[in-house]
């Protein structure tokens, strides 16, 4: 077992216990929905990053766990809303919340988790932390709105795509690291490095995720391919593919995507061609550039065991297969 796996194994029970304890504050109607998504698994990457960053920068108090879990509540709220928007059937191998509990209860549960996260952060009485989390929520919502706009009017716009994944994924991971640094009362320069580390890990994490959606090795693990394509989402592998097409071919494909008119054979052909061109691997290479920036941000961190674990997280994101 690696040191990072050992750390996750030690911390996970305390994180899950804190999640349950905080969820107990909610009305039973929404508490049950929250438990459904929160206690069904998950990587717990965001709370782990909060804990590791704070400890790396010298914070050792045990009151860190609610703060760390607030980031998981925020993440879970976005997953609930994502599943509603995507009409998803499952999440983490079980029935999606809106199908298990109904749309009304599920929307309210997402709102309750957002409110609970904000309440927890406010307990620490660090105004900059409140602003950081509020900004992350706003950016996440903006990313979701921009993604919907892209689905309705798809175009191979790399800059727009990067802004979407920054809002959807990277800003919340950045907030996890920044909150840990703020709790440690670090200096402004180190706080900016923590912010940079989280942002770049988050960008890379989503890029790898989008690459995996088209990767042949992902299919060998029994994972379905092309989910983004079926949902009409323009991610970087598809953007790179569109750039290889003639203008009229590109226009026809985008028109079909906008009208949800791609047949299964067409989607399978596109996925196959993306694999043959190695475009999913190209996206992973771009993720590596963000991870290089994340590694550079860590240089200024104190030489602690937690710094080594943060460096290991960089490598885990780089090599992840699922």
């Amino acid at each position: 077992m690696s040191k990072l796996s050992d750390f996750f194994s030690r911390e996970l029970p305390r994180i899950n216990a804190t999640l349950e304890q905080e969820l107990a504050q909610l009305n039973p109607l929404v508490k049950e929905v929250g438990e459904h998504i929160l206690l069904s698994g998950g990587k717990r990457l965001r709370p782990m990053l909060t804990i590791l960053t704070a400890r790396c920068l010298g914070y050792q108090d045990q009151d860190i766990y609610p703060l760390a879990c607030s980031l998981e509540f925020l993440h879970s709220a976005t997953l609930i809303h994502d599943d509603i928007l995507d009409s998803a059937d499952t999440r983490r191998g079980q029935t999606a919340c809106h199908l298990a509990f109904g749309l009304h209860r599920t929307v309210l549960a997402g709102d309750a988790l957002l409110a609970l996260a904000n309440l927890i952060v406010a307990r620490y009485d660090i105004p900059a932390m409140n602003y950081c989390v509020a900004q992350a929520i706003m950016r996440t919502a903006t990313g979701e709105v921009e993604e919907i706009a892209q689905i309705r009017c798809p175009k191979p716009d790399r800059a727009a795509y990067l802004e979407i994944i920054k809002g959807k994924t990277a800003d919340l991971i950045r907030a996890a690291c920044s909150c840990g640094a703020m709790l440690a009362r670090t200096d402004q320069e180190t706080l900016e490095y923590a912010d940079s580390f989280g942002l770049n890990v988050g960008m890379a994490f989503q890029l790898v995720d989008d690459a995996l959606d088209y990767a042949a090795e992902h299919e060998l693990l029994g994972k379905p391919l092309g989910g983004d394509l079926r949902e009409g989402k323009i991610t970087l592998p598809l953007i790179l593919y569109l750039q290889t097409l003639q203008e009229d071919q590109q226009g026809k494909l985008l028109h079909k995507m906008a009208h949800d008119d791609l047949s299964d054979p067409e989607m399978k052909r596109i996925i196959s061609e993306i694999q043959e061109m190695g475009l999913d691997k190209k996206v992973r290479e771009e993720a590596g550039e963000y991870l290089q920036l994340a590694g550079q941000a860590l240089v200024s961190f104190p030489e602690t065991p937690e710094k080594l674990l943060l460096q290991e997280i960089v490598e885990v994101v780089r090599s992840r297969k699922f």
Side-chain angles (χ1 to χ4, degrees), residues 194-209:
D195 184 273
S196 176
F197 174 78
L199 175 65
N200 285 294
V201 165
M203 292 294 288
F205 187 91
Q206 189 59 53
L207 281 166
V208 171
D209 205 59

Side-chain angles (χ1 to χ4, degrees), residues 63-265:
D63 67 350
I64 193 172
Y65 291 96
L67 175 63
C69 288
S70 72
L71 277 302
E72 192 70 9
F73 287 134
L74 291 177
H75 176 53
S76 295
T78 67
L79 296 182
I80 285 175
H81 292 154
D82 274 351
D83 288 345
I84 293 171
L85 292 171
D86 296 340
S87 299
D89 294 330
T90 60
R91 166 69 64 178
R92 294 170 179 164
Q94 63 179 14
T95 305
C97 290
H98 62 282
L99 296 179
F101 300 97
L103 190 59
H104 292 167
R105 280 178 71 184
T106 301
V107 169
L108 289 172
D111 294 344
L113 291 178
L114 285 171
L116 178 58
N118 278 288
L119 178 63
I120 292 170
V121 174
R123 289 184 207 152
Y124 291 84
D125 197 24
I126 302 175
M129 190 185 293
N130 294 336
Y131 180 81
C132 174
V133 170
Q135 190 177 52
I137 294 171
M138 185 65 188
R139 287 172 171 168
T140 301
T142 300
E144 294 287 358
V145 171
E146 290 173 349
E147 184 173 63
I148 291 172
Q150 273 275 45
I151 292 173
R152 291 178 176 172
C153 186
K155 52 188 179 294
D157 189 332
R158 177 192 288 259
Y161 162 76
L162 291 175
E163 280 300 308
I164 288 169
I165 68 170
K166 181 180 174 186
K168 274 186 58 182
T169 302
D171 275 312
L172 196 52
I173 291 177
R174 168 162 65 180
C177 297
S178 294
C179 285
M182 289 175 187
L183 190 61
R185 307 285 183 171
T186 191
D187 60 85
Q188 183 61 34
E189 183 180 18
T190 304
L191 176 57
E192 290 173 3
Y193 283 124
D195 184 273
S196 176
F197 174 78
L199 175 65
N200 285 294
V201 165
M203 292 294 288
F205 187 91
Q206 189 59 53
L207 281 166
V208 171
D209 205 59
D210 291 346
L212 286 171
D213 198 53
Y214 289 91
E217 62 267 30
H218 203 50
E219 192 170 29
L220 295 175
L221 294 171
K223 306 288 185 180
L225 293 184
D228 290 334
L229 181 62
R230 296 176 195 282
E231 293 168 14
K233 294 179 180 177
I234 303 287
T235 61
L236 191 53
L238 186 60
I239 290 173
L240 296 177
Y241 174 74
L242 285 163
Q243 290 172 349
T244 70
L245 302 179
Q246 297 293 331
E247 188 173 345
D248 61 330
Q249 293 176 310
Q250 185 181 114
K252 287 177 183 177
L253 175 52
L254 290 171
H255 179 80
K256 285 190 172 185
M257 289 187 68
H259 293 84
D260 194 21
D261 198 29
L262 275 177
S263 66
D264 280 343

